Amino acid sequence: MRLILMGTGPFAVPSFQALLQKGYPIVHVVTRPTASFAGKKGPPPSPVRQWAIENSLPLSDPLSINNPDTIQWLADQHADLLVVCDYGQILSREALSAAKLGGINLHGSLLPRHRGAAPVQWSILSGDSTAGVSIIHMTPALDGGPVLCQLSTEIASSDTAASLESRLSHIGVQSVLEAVALLETKRSLNECIGLGALQDNSLVTKAPRLAKENGELNLHYPVQWIDRLVRGLQPWPGSFAQLQLTEGKSLRIIIPEVSPIQWDVAAHGLLPGELIYGEPLEKLQAADSRLTASLYAAAVDGLLAIPALQPAGKKLMSCEEFLHGYSRFPSMRISSVPGSHRLLNKLSCT
């Protein structure tokens, strides 16, 4: 089986490494071009690019995989199969046909759930209890091909997109090897027709690419939703908030982690966004043994413990370190407008 491997991000590397170790002839590695950068030092190489260089594999980065010249180049490689994972471009029917058996794709969800660019993040954002990987025999429809195999894993309450993606990338290795072995018995694309299970289009959900603005915290939503937002957006785009210190004075803060507690906020006269610390918190702690942290933020139906945060232009600090410098402000609150968070509004419909 002569393989062309197509990928860019870290999700692809464990499976690509497994194929290399199994001794499959890797004709070429194809990755996305490196983005231009105006500064003196550009971004680091993508994980797949770095992996290919370290293993002295032939490497190409066409601007468009669907350009006629690129498709002809693919055909000239005389590959049996394209193995695609975390590549970043949708292959046309003509590009897929450039290999004898077409292409397979390792996708980070249990298809047809979470089709799109950010399946791992949306598995957490949507509150799924289970995540997984799917290998599909590719069609031009986005993540729409028949499923050759799937494996699943439970989503822990502490999982972030980073931890879940790492786990899924290693789970995917077995699926990729099984799919390649299955197709190894076929001699043409026509012989692959009927392989795998067709996806039920009535069960499709979308996992669109996330934007930096999605990370702004809004406390006018349930604590469980906000917790999923923070975990689902780690490490990128991350979670941040505008902290109102006094009238007319605010501070941008990054909040990498929260712990949600269901709690009757209204009964204690708190409003969404208020920070609780110091003497007011001590009074609440005397009545509720669950309140063991030093800093909380009120949401509509509970509290969010904030163990650490990072003020703009400063290093990450524990909540105790933060309060040492900022507790002189008696009533800090996170600024937000009810119902204004586009991503959290979507979660109510998933």
Side-chain angles (χ1 to χ4, degrees):
M1 284 281 277
R2 290 168 53 84
L3 305 179
I4 291 179
L5 309 183
M6 306 178 73
T8 301
F11 196 68
V13 173
S15 292
F16 287 3
Q17 178 65 20
L19 291 168
L20 179 65
Q21 291 177 337
K22 283 286 185 180
Y24 285 105
I26 297 175
V27 179
H28 223 90
V29 177
V30 178
T31 191
R32 293 283 303 275
T34 300
S36 59
F37 190 74
K40 294 181 180 179
K41 185 177 180 182
S46 73
V48 167
R49 181 184 296 273
Q50 186 65 38
W51 173 81
I53 292 171
E54 290 173 356
N55 288 280
S56 302
L57 295 169
L59 178 69
S60 295
D61 55 0
L63 287 175
S64 171
I65 198 65
N66 298 314
N67 180 282
D69 291 339
T70 306
I71 292 172
Q72 183 59 54
W73 172 82
L74 282 173
D76 292 342
Q77 306 307 306
H78 302 291
D80 294 302
L81 185 67
L82 309 176
V83 180
V84 184
C85 176
D86 200 5
Y87 175 47
Q89 295 190 38
I90 299 174
L91 277 69
S92 66
R93 189 178 304 277
E94 292 75 18
L96 291 170
S97 299
K100 184 173 73 172
L101 303 175
I104 60 172
N105 175 249
L106 170 63
H107 186 74
S109 78
L110 297 171
L111 292 170
R113 191 157 176 78
H114 304 315
R115 289 184 185 177
V120 178
Q121 291 87 340
W122 279 93
S123 294
I124 294 177
L125 290 170
S126 302
D128 295 356
S129 60
T130 306
V133 295
S134 303
I135 300 286
I136 60 172
H137 197 216
M138 295 174 70
T139 68
L142 177 63
D143 303 324
V147 177
L148 301 177
C149 48
Q150 286 186 328
L151 287 173
S152 64
T153 182
E154 296 297 312
I155 299 178
S157 61
S158 59
D159 264 326
T160 63
S163 66
L164 182 57
E165 182 175 277
S166 177
R167 192 158 76 251
L168 290 175
S169 72
H170 289 90
I171 290 174
V173 170
Q174 179 183 338
S175 297
V176 169
L177 294 177
E178 287 180 6
V180 171
L182 174 65
L183 290 170
E184 201 166 8
T185 64
K186 307 302 177 183
R187 293 173 296 178
S188 69
L189 199 53
N190 283 338
E191 286 192 15
C192 299
I193 295 174
L195 288 177
L198 296 178
Q199 297 185 42
D200 185 343
N201 287 331
S202 68
L203 300 178
V204 170
T205 64
K206 300 296 181 65
R209 194 177 304 278
L210 297 165
K212 201 165 187 179
E213 65 187 34
N214 296 144
E216 183 166 10
L217 296 187
N218 186 316
L219 280 297
H220 291 274
Y221 293 86
V223 289
Q224 295 297 338
W225 293 16
I226 300 168
D227 173 51
R228 281 153 39 193
L229 182 80
V230 173
R231 292 187 293 112
L233 272 55
Q234 288 295 333
W236 194 93
S239 302
F240 65 94
Q242 293 296 333
L243 185 61
Q244 198 74 32
L245 302 174
T246 63
E247 187 67 33
K249 185 174 184 179
S250 63
L251 173 71
R252 181 185 172 97
I253 55 173
I254 295 171
I255 302 178
E257 179 185 355
V258 295
S259 296
I261 299 176
Q262 296 290 334
W263 202 71
D264 193 344
V265 174
H268 291 84
L270 296 171
L271 296 174
E274 285 190 56
L275 294 195
I276 311 164
Y277 51 95
E279 186 175 338
L281 176 58
E282 291 174 3
K283 293 179 180 179
L284 296 177
Q285 288 172 326
D288 193 331
S289 60
R290 296 178 300 164
L291 305 183
T292 58
S294 300
L295 178 64
Y296 289 89
V300 294
D301 67 342
L303 301 177
L304 293 159
I306 303 175
L309 50 80
Q310 182 177 357
K314 298 186 178 181
K315 65 179 181 65
L316 182 68
M317 56 183 69
S318 68
C319 62
E320 290 82 8
E321 290 175 314
F322 172 78
L323 290 172
H324 181 72
Y326 288 89
S327 60
R328 67 183 186 276
F329 298 104
S331 58
M332 294 183 285
R333 65 186 308 276
I334 291 174
S335 302
S336 56
V337 177
S340 63
H341 200 290
R342 293 183 180 180
L343 180 55
L344 287 172
N345 289 340
K346 288 182 179 180
L347 299 191
S348 63
C349 303
T350 56

